[in-house]
Amino acid sequence: EQNPYQDQLDLTPVNGDGFLVYPGPNGPLNSIRWEVIRDGIEDHDYLCMFRELLEKVRARGGHETLVNQALREIDYKKVVPDLTNFPRDPQVLVTERRNLARYIEKLSEAAR
């Protein structure tokens, strides 16, 4: 009977319970967990698009400078150095996402 918008403590279910959406006064409410999962799916889509475009441009030929530049600048180790570590600065991920998007656009143009 508690209102979670006024008092977030001692509620059942509680924060961190693994729910992706929560009941709201006008329907379901997203959780941060839900948003992060969506971001991860979008990141995966970006990486797949990048790889496919890179292969397409390589096969087409004539854009070796762009391909080499993309391979140098898109460095996954900046975001995921290994299986147990990650940068604590969120700007690192944001910057790499922007770089990836920029190269997806450039490679798309080169693939035409």
Side-chain angles (χ1 to χ4, degrees):
E1 304 259 341
Q2 275 181 283
N3 183 339
Y5 299 100
Q6 295 173 354
D7 183 10
Q8 293 83 31
L9 299 177
D10 299 322
L11 293 176
T12 305
V14 296
N15 292 338
D17 54 15
F19 286 101
L20 298 177
V21 293
Y22 293 89
N26 299 316
L29 296 173
N30 289 347
S31 67
I32 293 173
R33 188 177 294 109
W34 180 262
E35 299 295 328
V36 170
I37 289 170
R38 184 209 59 220
D39 288 346
I41 291 169
E42 289 173 354
D43 289 343
H44 180 266
D45 288 345
Y46 258 26
L47 292 169
C48 289
M49 287 171 54
F50 175 73
R51 183 187 65 219
E52 289 169 10
L53 285 166
L54 199 59
E55 290 172 3
K56 193 173 188 180
V57 170
R58 274 182 170 161
R60 186 172 183 177
H63 295 280
E64 289 77 17
T65 303
L66 175 61
V67 168
N68 291 334
Q69 184 180 16
L71 289 172
R72 271 194 317 276
E73 289 192 32
I74 303 302
D75 183 5
Y76 309 121
K77 293 285 185 183
K78 290 178 189 172
V79 180
V80 186
D82 57 52
L83 293 176
T84 58
N85 294 299
F86 59 92
R88 301 309 196 246
D89 179 5
Q91 207 54 40
V92 172
L93 180 59
V94 170
T95 299
E96 288 306 303
R97 280 181 179 152
R98 285 185 183 141
N99 286 341
L100 192 57
R102 191 176 80 235
Y103 277 104
I104 287 171
E105 287 180 352
K106 288 181 179 186
L107 290 166
S108 291
E109 290 174 14
R112 290 184 194 146

